[in-house]
Amino acid sequence: MNFQTSIKTCFRKYAVFSGRASRSEFWFFALFEFIGTLIASVIDAMILGYPFESYGPVYIVFQIILLIPSIAVGARRLHDINKSGWWQLLILTLIGIILLIISRATVGKNKKNIHGLPIN
């Protein structure tokens, strides 16, 4: 899956928490979030005059728009490695952040699991 297809897929499955997501779908969407956040911060600082240390309105709106699809693609990514989407709550702990990064980078099994068929 390429960058553009990943973004289209994540927005098409805006609030779909079932099924599976490939590594490329998840990581390209994470890259899109990172680049979009940088651009939103620059717009807030350079055009609207907000300091870089604070969150401006463009940044906040961008984050609100991406909140649900980010959680959804994260859940689908965990489903690909046969884990529950609730594992995302581990992000609330320091060790959990490391475990989530490892889990999201793990190759999914190329066979059917309780969350559905494998992603091509």
Side-chain angles (χ1 to χ4, degrees), residues 26-120:
F26 174 81
W27 288 111
F28 278 138
F29 194 72
L31 178 63
F32 169 72
E33 285 183 85
F34 178 73
I35 292 170
T37 299
L38 288 178
I39 292 170
S41 296
V42 167
I43 290 171
D44 283 335
M46 303 297 273
I47 296 173
L48 301 178
Y50 285 84
F52 275 113
E53 298 82 31
S54 69
Y55 302 122
V58 176
Y59 175 87
I60 293 170
V61 168
F62 185 74
Q63 292 300 319
I64 290 171
I65 290 170
L66 291 183
L67 179 65
I68 294 173
S70 298
I71 295 170
V73 75
R76 291 193 313 269
R77 178 68 206 126
L78 288 168
H79 291 169
D80 193 44
I81 60 169
N82 209 19
K83 297 204 182 299
S84 170
W86 287 102
W87 275 59
Q88 291 184 94
L89 292 176
L90 287 175
I91 203 159
L92 300 174
T93 67
L94 183 62
I95 304 256
I97 294 170
I98 297 166
L99 290 173
L100 279 175
I101 291 171
I102 292 169
S103 295
R104 290 173 174 169
T106 303
V107 178
K109 302 292 184 205
N110 198 16
K111 61 181 181 178
K112 184 177 179 182
N113 66 19
I114 62 170
H115 302 288
L117 296 171
I119 304 298
N120 294 332

Side-chain angles (χ1 to χ4, degrees), residues 7-39:
I7 296 165
K8 286 180 185 177
T9 302
C10 288
F11 278 115
R12 191 173 53 246
K13 296 180 177 180
Y14 192 86
V16 176
F17 295 90
S18 61
R20 295 164 72 166
S22 65
R23 285 187 304 167
S24 60
E25 180 182 344
F26 174 81
W27 288 111
F28 278 138
F29 194 72
L31 178 63
F32 169 72
E33 285 183 85
F34 178 73
I35 292 170
T37 299
L38 288 178
I39 292 170

